[in-house]
Amino acid sequence: MTAAELKDQAWWERYFTVGGDWERNGGRAQTRIFAEHFVRRSGLPRDRAFTLLDAGCALGDALAVFARAFPKARLYGIDFSGTAIARAGAELGPTVTLHRGDLDAIEGRYDAVYCSNTLEHFADFDARARRLLQHADRLFVMVPHDERRDGRRLRPDRTEHHQHTFERDSFDFLVREGLARSVTTRVFACPGAWGWSPVQHAAQFARNIGRALRGRPRVAPPRQILYAIESAALR
């Protein structure tokens, strides 16, 4: 159980209302940034039909990006918040199929499942990943990379929102368990996300040069990691 999970359904519905905390905290813009990075790095075909589920789609901003990038794809979204799903449906219209439910409510199978900046909120992220992979030929997970709290790796703490520090090997257990054929990773800077503007990223890069010349460790701006997990049951 995490701080996010401790909040009741009413809290989540308020969170996604027009002008609510999701929008005030830049959630919509960040969702689009993450989706655009995914499009560039996923390797999914832009000229062929396939099915793509956004697991934890919020207000559907990633799905809007995918509709433009993958015009032949059949797009689906699921989210815990009924308010989020209703607003996403009103904006996206019939081009996307939306469902209300948590990650355990996913049914069917998709060519690709995209889960962005969600699994870091779960103490049992590994169980959630196993569940998602049951519904995907290819599971794409995006989370913060090498995130620290007071310089230390994250550990499950019910008072915090983020529960784990993710490294390149964090999902290799799926291969060891025979559930995945392979796991590949891409780590990248994400200017505009997590409160770091492109200018701040550039300024930190310059400061790190000075730190290196003085023999001091660099301070990395927040980065993301994208896992591309190929199911062992790939059709």
Side-chain angles (χ1 to χ4, degrees):
M1 186 70 72
T2 73
E5 292 171 294
L6 288 171
K7 299 184 185 302
D8 60 20
Q9 186 72 40
W11 186 94
W12 284 105
E13 302 309 335
R14 291 192 300 272
Y15 189 63
F16 285 111
T17 56
V18 176
D21 284 348
W22 175 251
E23 289 171 289
R24 284 197 296 270
N25 294 331
R28 302 201 72 167
Q30 289 191 126
T31 298
R32 291 190 289 269
I33 290 169
F34 296 141
E36 289 161 0
H37 278 284
F38 171 74
V39 167
R40 293 198 292 272
R41 292 171 168 82
S42 68
L44 291 176
R46 301 196 183 208
D47 59 349
R48 296 202 305 271
F50 62 93
T51 55
L52 171 60
L53 169 69
D54 183 352
C57 65
L59 298 182
D61 293 288
L63 289 166
V65 173
F66 300 156
R68 294 189 296 271
F70 308 120
K72 295 186 178 182
R74 297 193 302 277
L75 301 177
Y76 302 81
I78 189 169
D79 196 89
F80 181 72
S81 167
T83 299
I85 289 297
R87 291 186 62 192
E91 292 190 18
L92 295 170
T95 59
V96 175
T97 301
L98 300 171
H99 298 283
R100 176 184 175 182
D102 60 19
L103 298 184
D104 291 334
I106 296 172
E107 297 180 350
R109 191 172 183 87
Y110 303 87
D111 296 312
V113 171
Y114 169 78
C115 187
S116 171
N117 292 277
T118 297
L119 292 190
E120 69 271 22
H121 295 285
F122 293 100
D124 61 342
F125 81 91
D126 49 351
R128 308 285 174 156
R130 293 185 188 97
R131 171 72 173 166
L132 287 170
L133 194 56
Q134 292 176 9
H135 301 281
D137 284 354
R138 290 180 175 84
L139 170 62
F140 296 91
V141 174
M142 190 185 297
V143 288
H145 177 253
D146 194 27
E147 185 179 8
R148 306 285 170 141
R149 186 178 298 126
D150 298 325
R152 298 181 179 181
R153 292 173 57 85
L154 305 189
R155 293 290 185 267
D157 180 345
R158 63 184 299 160
T159 67
E160 299 288 346
H161 280 274
H162 291 189
Q163 301 294 301
H164 291 278
T165 294
F166 289 91
E167 301 290 357
R168 288 187 181 272
D169 62 354
S170 293
F171 289 89
D172 287 359
F173 68 90
L174 294 169
V175 175
R176 294 193 296 271
E177 293 175 1
L179 301 175
R181 291 181 183 177
S182 63
V183 178
T184 58
T185 59
R186 300 284 297 275
V187 176
F188 52 93
C190 208
W194 308 116
W196 282 69
S197 70
V199 172
Q200 288 172 305
H201 271 259
Q204 188 60 54
F205 178 80
R207 285 194 292 269
N208 278 332
I209 294 175
R211 292 176 69 89
L213 292 173
R214 296 192 301 271
R216 300 177 63 189
R218 65 189 294 270
V219 176
R223 294 182 298 171
Q224 292 282 289
I225 183 167
L226 175 66
Y227 301 87
I229 304 167
E230 186 175 282
S231 171
L234 182 65
R235 293 175 295 189

